[in-house]
Amino acid sequence: MMVRLLKSLLILLALGLITVSQLGLSPSTAQGHPNFVTIVVDDLDVASVAQMPAVNELLTAEGTTFTRFFATTPLCCPSRVSMLRGQYAHNHGVLRNDGEDAAGFPAFYASGEESVTLATLLHEAGYETALIGKYLNGYVLADDPRIPIPRTYIPPGWDTWITGVDDAPYAHFDYTLNVNGALVDYGHDEDDYLTDVLSAYALDFVKPAAGTGDPFFLFLTPYSPHTPTVPAPRHVGKFRGATAPRTPAFDEPDVRDKPEWIRSSRRFNERKIAVIDDRYQRRLESLQAVDEMVEAIVDELDAQSVLQSTYILFLSDNGYILGEHRQPNGKDAPYDAATRIPLIVRGPGISAGSLVDEIALNSDLLPTLASLADVSIPPFVDGRSLVPLWTDSNSGWRQSALFEGFGIEFRPGERPELNTPPFKALRSEDALFTQYDTGEREFYDLTVDPYQLDNIVDQVPDPILGEYSQRLDGLAKCIAADCRSLEDKPLPPFHAG
Ligand SMILES: [Ca+2]
Ligand SMILES: [Ca+2]
């Protein structure tokens, strides 16, 4: 449909009946170099987007919403590296947020992978690049014995670099930013509130960048609503009394179908529910400053006459559990509450208010922006460009995707809540199949059980289960093009016995 529209516009252009400027495209867009504003919110779940009015009005209503967008490893650091490298975690190797092993910024730095990222690719293609906000967990801790580098370190590819050090900024007051190589301390006055500070830096970047004629890439990554979840003072109490969504998965009544780590979690008492609701209220309150930031950025792009030549992508790094499956909070899990994340894209050629239902992944971000910028996609990339989903066509698309969890703090027999064993899962439109390192397995028929309440793994015929298992094992080891061809292969139909 979009292809047909483009063709008729091209004919009108050729006939001289309309001009490029009438199409609302800047000359640089016509040459294939749009600007990018990518906003990655920290721990934002899908449902809470409904409570962000500017996002809904300026992005959702004006762009396309991806209804099946997933973080392949639903955890801050692995997910962000997947975005920057276009890879599954088993290929980029950053598996956890903290700890000694394959964790956090130190692991990414030590891998050398920072030399080829979304930032370096766009920078080399002539983009002015900026990271404003969160980079990776563990960037850079003072006197970190794992990597003896200064906190003024700036990774390759970034022209503007404004990010918090020492993992302190989550508190939103009393933190230190690395501002282009200089450490700047912020205090606890109202105007030190981190989201507002980042918003001001972002506006300071966009205004001159829009005037240069060169395309720009802004990677804007607020630290909300991540714990400790601190709202701006002006928003405190705005959602008092709001209750976390009581979906059928909330405080799951019957967990006899579930693996041990869920089965041994108790049902909630009133006190625990109050804690969940309080967290939910603070999350929505802290998102209001993010919503205001989105509005300010869109207004500035408009004022600089570059809104029509800019792709704005709004997404999260992982979902967030708020009571589902008896877990009071958290994210390291194969269920949709943790893996499914928002993605809204507005920009040239995208139909207002449209939906994309195909399976899309955080690792698709790099190839998507690379393809829009006419940059060749590095051979190590596992993901794929999402552009065909809004320009085209019913050409083939991935039928399934891999989720990976690496047991961030797994201690068997202890602390059942949030103590997820390492897992691998296969997610299609119709099914979720999970294998834990404990040997436990889950299979959900999403056509009748979208909340993943009834594990039917014992009812799926063995040959079918064998094919799912084999596909999952293949994906768990796949590299680059092999990942894409395995993802494209249809899975056999399954029917509970
Ligand atoms: Ca996160
Ligand atoms: Ca159940």
Side-chain angles (χ1 to χ4, degrees), residues 259-418:
E260 171 71 17
W261 74 280
I262 298 278
R263 219 167 52 237
S264 52
S265 301
R266 289 188 193 163
R267 293 205 71 174
F268 299 147
N269 55 25
E270 274 180 36
R271 189 194 56 78
K272 196 158 250 174
I273 290 176
V275 169
I276 294 170
D277 287 340
D278 174 71
R279 179 177 292 117
Y280 176 68
Q281 292 160 24
R282 282 183 292 114
R283 284 171 57 83
L284 295 186
E285 288 165 6
S286 79
L287 285 169
Q288 299 314 299
V290 177
D291 196 53
E292 292 171 358
M293 179 175 76
V294 169
E295 183 170 23
I297 298 286
V298 174
D299 284 352
E300 187 61 40
L301 294 169
D302 199 17
Q304 299 297 324
S305 306
V306 292
L307 182 56
Q308 303 305 325
S309 56
T310 301
Y311 285 95
I312 305 173
L313 297 90
F314 180 86
L315 63 156
S316 175
D317 60 348
N318 50 259
Y320 201 75
I321 294 171
L322 270 174
E324 291 91 343
H325 314 296
R326 297 197 187 179
Q327 307 306 301
N329 65 305
K331 47 211 179 188
D332 172 37
Y335 306 112
D336 275 22
T339 54
R340 203 157 78 83
I341 50 179
L343 173 64
I344 305 160
V345 187
R346 84 169 268 181
I350 295 183
S351 304
S354 53
L355 296 176
V356 171
D357 295 326
E358 281 85 354
I359 293 174
L361 304 176
N362 53 354
S363 52
D364 296 333
L365 183 68
L366 181 151
T368 300
L369 298 195
S371 105
L372 289 168
D374 241 345
V375 173
S376 50
I377 297 168
F380 60 74
V381 165
D382 304 326
R384 59 183 80 193
S385 168
L386 300 174
V387 174
L389 296 180
W390 69 70
T391 54
D392 208 353
S393 91
N394 296 312
S395 60
W397 192 254
R398 70 161 62 89
Q399 302 295 302
S400 65
L402 167 73
F403 300 156
E404 307 175 283
F406 298 90
I408 50 176
E409 295 176 69
F410 182 51
R411 282 181 270 163
E414 286 181 48
R415 301 180 313 130
E417 284 169 359
L418 316 174

Side-chain angles (χ1 to χ4, degrees), residues 131-134 160-165 169-180 182-206 218-224 230-235 286 288-290 292-294 296-297:
L131 181 139
I132 298 176
K134 177 171 171 175
T160 291
W161 179 256
I162 298 163
T163 190
V165 297
Y170 297 103
H172 281 77
F173 293 102
D174 296 307
Y175 54 89
T176 302
L177 298 182
N178 173 349
V179 179
N180 298 316
L183 296 178
V184 180
D185 293 329
Y186 288 81
H188 44 264
D189 292 340
E190 198 156 340
D191 59 7
D192 291 315
Y193 183 69
L194 177 61
T195 306
D196 297 342
V197 169
L198 297 177
S199 180
Y201 277 121
L203 297 176
D204 284 349
F205 170 76
V206 165
L218 169 59
F219 199 58
L220 179 57
T221 51
Y223 290 70
S224 285
V230 180
R234 64 186 178 280
H235 296 132
S286 79
Q288 299 314 299
V290 177
E292 292 171 358
M293 179 175 76
V294 169
I297 298 286

Side-chain angles (χ1 to χ4, degrees), residues 412-477:
E414 286 181 48
R415 301 180 313 130
E417 284 169 359
L418 316 174
N419 193 2
T420 321
F423 64 85
K424 296 174 184 17
L426 187 65
R427 177 66 158 79
S428 68
E429 281 195 24
D430 295 344
L432 173 68
F433 171 60
T434 305
Q435 291 188 157
Y436 292 90
D437 282 11
T438 56
E440 295 163 296
R441 298 193 294 183
E442 295 175 283
F443 196 109
Y444 297 96
D445 177 354
L446 305 182
T447 63
V448 296
D449 184 19
Y451 291 99
Q452 302 160 352
L453 300 176
D454 188 15
N455 176 13
I456 58 166
V457 72
D458 292 336
Q459 298 162 49
V460 178
D462 277 345
I464 306 287
L465 216 48
E467 283 198 54
Y468 271 76
S469 190
Q470 194 181 17
R471 185 71 54 82
L472 180 54
D473 291 345
L475 274 170
K477 293 191 289 262

